[in-house]
Amino acid sequence: MRTVRLILLALFLIVSTSCGMKEKGTLVIYAGLYEDHAIKAIETFEKQTGIKVSYVRLSAGEVLDRIRAEKDNPAASVWFGGTGDTFVQAKAEGLLEPYQSLNAQMIDEQYKDSEGYWTGIYVGSIAFISNKSWLQQTGRQAPQSWDDLLEPEYRGMLAMGSPSTSGTGYTTMATIIQLYGEDKGFDYLKKLDDQNISYTSSGSLSGRAAGNGIVGTALAFSHDAIKFYKEGFHNIVISFPKEGTGYEIGAVAIIKNGPNQEEAKKFVDWALTKQAQELGKQVGNYQLLTHRDAQSPQEAFRLESLNVISYDVNWAGKNRERLISKWKQLTYN
């Protein structure tokens, strides 16, 4: 009997340990922000909570595709960073779990989903990122208008993220359509495509192409341009279209039916704090922050200092699939 009791006790301990390991398992995150930012955030979260984290870095459109493919058996629990329109589409497709974090009270209503499916953690505007040497060679000033990009000198010297994979690219496209209306907006996008524009898998790649002088001007986020300049691309010139520009709301959300949901909620709670949001600027990221008490980087372009359109992230998300399909047909991408 003593031996039986010992065996039963051992089995109990094994089962208990297994359950504990499952409950406290590694939290898997899909990160749509810069890798240096993701690493800093995850390392800090692990130190502060003791929760182990692994991550995969992907563009916003790639994260959405991954979550779709894994819908029946999610591998990750948190989507951390990436443009808000993709989160809106994921919500519409039933891929996200609503969670009303108490810390979301410190985020303005315009930067979060009213039902708690996603919450904004940063904001960034679309800009023209130009190479100063190329501008001098062509005798041009930095572009100040969307129409400037249609001039002959820009043929073959433009780049932007592909709207189908890049959150930056889709935000740019949605900005143009919201600015001009759908018909005129697609007319403009066709003219832009006729300029032999280069489409990159992510918006940051287009910005780096401008920094390297591979292209003359890229359409990308202004905070990316600041990051590139700080990294040594001092030939970069940043400008904005006078007609108006759009902006992204980078967000965080919980993936529906993902493992370790309690740990996922703790990560969202943490990501919405002032301290967590301010980590990005420590590793050279310059987005505006959404927490009311968080101090945005001094270098960041404030929306109130720019001519920004009333960018409707919910409209952009709900129409994303349709608009991308139309864009592909228009440009044969």
Side-chain angles (χ1 to χ4, degrees):
M1 290 298 295
R2 177 184 175 87
T3 302
V4 171
R5 284 197 296 270
L6 288 173
I7 292 173
L8 290 174
L9 178 61
L11 288 173
F12 173 77
L13 290 173
I14 290 171
V15 171
S16 299
T17 303
S18 298
C19 291
M21 287 177 63
K22 185 176 181 181
E23 182 182 352
K24 298 296 182 182
T26 299
L27 181 64
V28 180
I29 291 176
Y30 290 151
L33 35 63
Y34 272 102
E35 192 150 13
D36 55 1
H37 190 172
I39 291 172
K40 181 67 174 179
I42 288 169
E43 287 180 347
T44 304
F45 174 75
E46 287 182 325
K47 288 178 182 178
Q48 293 181 359
T49 66
I51 298 171
K52 297 299 181 182
V53 178
S54 67
Y55 77 98
V56 179
R57 166 67 178 93
L58 298 165
S59 296
E62 294 172 332
V63 175
L64 179 58
D65 288 341
R66 178 76 68 93
I67 295 173
R68 281 172 172 162
E70 297 172 348
K71 181 178 180 180
D72 295 332
N73 187 26
S77 301
V78 174
W79 184 353
F80 182 43
T83 51
D85 52 79
T86 48
F87 285 79
V88 172
Q89 186 172 358
K91 172 190 173 182
E93 295 181 17
L95 301 175
L96 301 181
E97 189 75 31
Y99 175 55
Q100 296 280 9
S101 171
L102 291 177
N103 293 337
Q105 297 175 11
M106 296 301 292
I107 313 296
D108 288 341
E109 296 298 323
Q110 63 180 320
Y111 298 136
K112 61 186 178 183
D113 178 68
S114 60
E115 298 176 294
Y117 280 89
W118 57 268
T119 308
I121 52 177
Y122 59 79
V123 179
S125 52
I126 292 291
F128 299 147
I129 306 176
S130 300
N131 184 280
K132 185 188 298 184
S133 297
W134 180 81
L135 291 172
Q136 292 172 346
Q137 291 169 8
T138 57
R140 298 194 65 86
Q141 299 295 316
Q144 304 295 318
S145 165
W146 291 106
D147 285 340
D148 287 347
L149 305 183
L150 304 180
E151 295 295 328
E153 291 87 348
Y154 285 94
R155 182 167 177 77
M157 295 302 293
L158 293 171
M160 66 177 278
S162 169
S164 62
T165 60
S166 163
T168 311
Y170 181 75
T171 302
T172 302
M173 182 176 78
T175 292
I176 291 167
I177 293 171
Q178 291 188 46
L179 177 64
Y180 290 115
E182 190 162 330
D183 290 340
K184 291 183 178 179
F186 272 108
D187 285 344
Y188 177 86
L189 289 166
K190 181 66 173 81
K191 293 175 181 176
L192 201 63
D193 184 69
D194 289 341
Q195 287 285 66
N196 195 25
I197 189 170
S198 297
Y199 298 108
T200 57
S201 60
S202 71
S204 61
L205 289 175
S206 66
R208 291 188 187 280
N212 284 317
I214 297 171
V215 298
T217 296
L219 289 68
F221 288 125
S222 59
H223 50 262
D224 288 351
I226 299 169
K227 182 178 182 66
F228 302 150
Y229 186 88
K230 296 279 189 176
E231 289 176 350
F233 292 103
H234 294 156
N235 256 347
I236 279 177
V237 179
I238 306 169
S239 59
F240 297 89
K242 62 184 179 182
E243 300 92 341
T245 193
Y247 55 91
E248 72 162 329
I249 302 172
V252 64
I254 296 175
I255 298 168
K256 188 173 183 178
N257 296 326
N260 301 305
Q261 289 283 300
E262 290 306 310
E263 285 80 6
K265 290 176 182 178
K266 290 178 182 178
F267 185 88
V268 171
D269 290 340
W270 177 85
L272 300 182
T273 63
K274 172 182 182 294
Q275 293 78 12
Q277 289 198 11
E278 290 180 346
L279 288 173
K281 58 186 177 183
Q282 295 182 21
V283 289
N285 292 276
Y286 302 96
Q287 298 97 330
L288 297 169
L289 305 178
T290 60
H291 190 287
R292 290 174 193 150
D293 293 338
Q295 296 296 313
S296 296
Q298 292 182 351
E299 299 91 336
F301 288 96
R302 269 60 180 174
L303 295 186
E304 56 269 24
S305 69
L306 304 173
N307 180 23
V308 294
I309 65 171
S310 298
Y311 188 85
D312 189 338
V313 66
N314 287 300
W315 178 89
K318 291 173 182 176
N319 288 277
R320 184 177 179 275
E321 198 73 14
R322 179 181 67 83
L323 294 177
I324 288 176
S325 178
K326 188 172 181 178
W327 173 79
K328 286 181 176 179
Q329 294 174 5
L330 186 77
T331 60
Y332 306 105
N333 276 277

